[in-house]
Amino acid sequence: MKIDWAALGSVFGVSLVVTVALVGLFTLGIVGLSKHEQARAAGGGTAAIPARLGAYACFALCAAAVAYGISLIVV
């Protein structure tokens, strides 16, 4: 049995980068919701809307990345 170390390293590297990016994107979504709540509590009114939309966009991208990963596994 021969192990292709280059392929194993490539899979590890891609997995690491995608995991860090996905966690960072989810963190940005949480921060966006936090900023939305702070602006709303301060009486920001419409100033809170971009933070909420950005947070929802981050969560949507996370969901899309997870769905793509599941589709790669299933198909």
Side-chain angles (χ1 to χ4, degrees):
M1 182 166 98
K2 183 180 175 204
I3 297 174
D4 187 0
W5 291 104
L8 183 63
S10 175
V11 168
F12 176 75
V14 169
S15 298
L16 183 65
V17 168
V18 169
T19 301
V20 169
L22 198 58
V23 169
L25 194 60
F26 192 80
T27 302
L28 284 176
I30 292 173
V31 169
L33 285 181
S34 174
K35 296 293 182 186
H36 167 70
E37 290 298 322
Q38 288 175 355
R40 199 176 77 173
T46 59
I49 294 174
R52 184 179 53 178
L53 291 177
Y56 288 162
C58 288
F59 293 140
L61 288 172
C62 285
V66 169
Y68 179 67
I70 289 173
S71 74
L72 288 176
I73 293 170
V74 172
V75 173

